[in-house]
Amino acid sequence: MRSVQLKIERLSKTYPNGVHALRDVSLTIAPGMFGLLGPNGAGKSTLMRILATLQEADAGSAWLGEIDVLRDKEAVRRTLGYLPQEFGLYARATAAEMLDHFAVLKGVTDGGERRDVVRSLLEQTNLWDARHRRLGTFSGGMRQRFGIAVALIGNPRLIIVDEPTAGLDPAERARFLNLLSELGENAVVILSTHIVEDVSDLCQRMAIIQEGRILLEAEPQGAVQALRGRVWRREVPRDELRAFEKAHPVISTTLVGGRTVVHVHGDAPPDDSFHPVEPDLKDVYFTVMRGIGIGDGEVEPQPVAVDAAPPPDDPWAAFRRPGAA
């Protein structure tokens, strides 16, 4: 299967209530795992729904190889795998029955081929032994793995997973991330999340989005490298924290063993009470979100926008072949 890249140029979306959810978003995403990182309300889900053909953009373009994503929705859906943030399943149906149903909707009409597809995907997602269990008995992690099985029907070239690990316990999250890590060989896989560790663990490239704008596009390890020697830590008494934040470029505040520890950004420590920190992707994220550039200069502050549109009534619509009910 020939790999393709996804090219997004100046994509914008404004909702009827005046909220600017996306502002001139441009990204070039090669095959592999790409992390879209940002807080709730940053515009991630709006961008994912537009790419999944479930929502219209106001301006801009998006191309998956030679496919015009915004105009040729049928072609996109033939090569799309989409795991929405929230999705409903028939609780009384078994995993095998439901996956067979989705395979029909995706256009796999030959019974023998469909049986092979169902078995292969349930084995790939480690659900074969649970194939006769009703979906209503599945744990959160099993539901997410079943959603990935649905998304993989038809060997898609574009796979979108929106906030996939939210609410999973650590063991289920680890199993799910291991599954995602296997998907990016020939497909563009976009992982939309507010969980920094998901991107750090999985993605070769990433972007940080806030208030509808892309603030940073980089390789995670390269962005971390650019912060080395520029992050400093110190414990601060809680009653002094507010004044401290006004006086220093604080990028994060955490509790460690019940003590308040702050990280500040600077080419040198503010004074001798600060100690150097080996930065990680969280430090990159909080630095960019504070408006401090990674490397040179400042990130331009942007007007507030909220990803306010409700999810579509039928988030599985992107899986249906044209004309399927």
Side-chain angles (χ1 to χ4, degrees), residues 7-250:
K7 189 172 183 63
I8 302 167
E9 292 188 343
R10 301 182 65 86
L11 205 64
S12 295
K13 175 67 179 180
T14 302
Y15 290 118
N17 62 0
V19 169
H20 297 284
L22 297 176
R23 299 171 181 264
D24 290 330
V25 169
S26 295
L27 293 167
T28 299
I29 305 176
M33 294 291 302
F34 185 91
L36 184 65
L37 184 61
N40 294 331
K44 302 187 304 296
S45 290
T46 294
L47 179 57
M48 297 303 97
R49 290 195 295 265
I50 289 173
L51 296 177
T53 75
L54 297 172
Q55 193 166 323
E56 299 291 337
D58 295 333
S61 65
W63 290 83
L64 180 65
E66 298 179 352
I67 300 174
D68 187 335
V69 174
L70 304 187
R71 291 176 174 81
D72 196 352
K73 292 181 172 56
E74 293 182 358
V76 174
R77 292 179 181 184
R78 284 193 290 268
T79 191
L80 170 70
Y82 179 44
L83 178 62
Q85 184 173 354
E86 296 180 1
F87 58 91
L89 297 170
Y90 294 108
R92 293 180 178 274
T94 69
E97 291 169 344
M98 195 71 175
L99 194 59
D100 181 85
H101 173 68
F102 278 119
V104 171
L105 295 179
K106 199 67 183 283
V108 185
T109 56
D110 180 80
E113 179 187 1
R114 200 163 63 249
R115 282 190 296 273
D116 291 342
V117 167
V118 168
R119 180 174 187 126
S120 174
L121 291 176
L122 289 177
E123 288 178 343
Q124 183 177 353
T125 53
N126 198 28
L127 290 172
W128 177 249
D129 290 342
R131 63 190 181 278
H132 297 311
R133 282 180 55 181
R134 292 183 176 182
L135 293 168
T137 69
F138 275 20
S139 67
M142 293 173 72
R143 283 172 55 90
Q144 291 297 83
R145 282 185 279 138
F146 181 80
I148 282 291
V150 175
L152 292 178
I153 296 172
N155 296 314
R157 293 188 295 171
L158 172 61
I159 301 171
I160 297 170
V161 286
D162 193 1
E163 299 284 1
T165 64
L168 299 187
D169 67 39
E172 287 180 328
R173 175 181 173 271
R175 282 193 293 268
F176 189 77
L177 293 182
N178 287 336
L179 172 61
L180 286 182
S181 69
E182 301 171 1
L183 303 182
E185 294 185 4
N186 296 306
V188 172
V189 184
I190 304 176
L191 171 65
S192 170
T193 184
H194 67 278
I195 301 175
V196 176
E197 291 86 354
D198 287 357
V199 174
S200 179
D201 292 346
L202 283 180
C203 299
Q204 295 93 359
R205 288 194 62 81
M206 58 166 281
I208 296 175
I209 185 171
Q210 165 69 332
E211 299 170 351
R213 292 188 188 273
I214 300 298
L215 301 185
L216 175 73
E217 183 180 4
E219 295 180 0
Q221 292 309 310
V224 170
Q225 177 66 32
L227 267 189
R228 286 205 167 95
R230 297 183 177 184
V231 181
W232 313 89
R233 75 186 294 272
R234 206 197 96 172
E235 291 184 10
V236 177
R238 292 186 186 183
D239 58 355
E240 299 177 14
L241 182 59
R242 181 165 297 185
F244 190 91
E245 289 176 331
K246 291 181 179 179
H248 300 284
V250 175

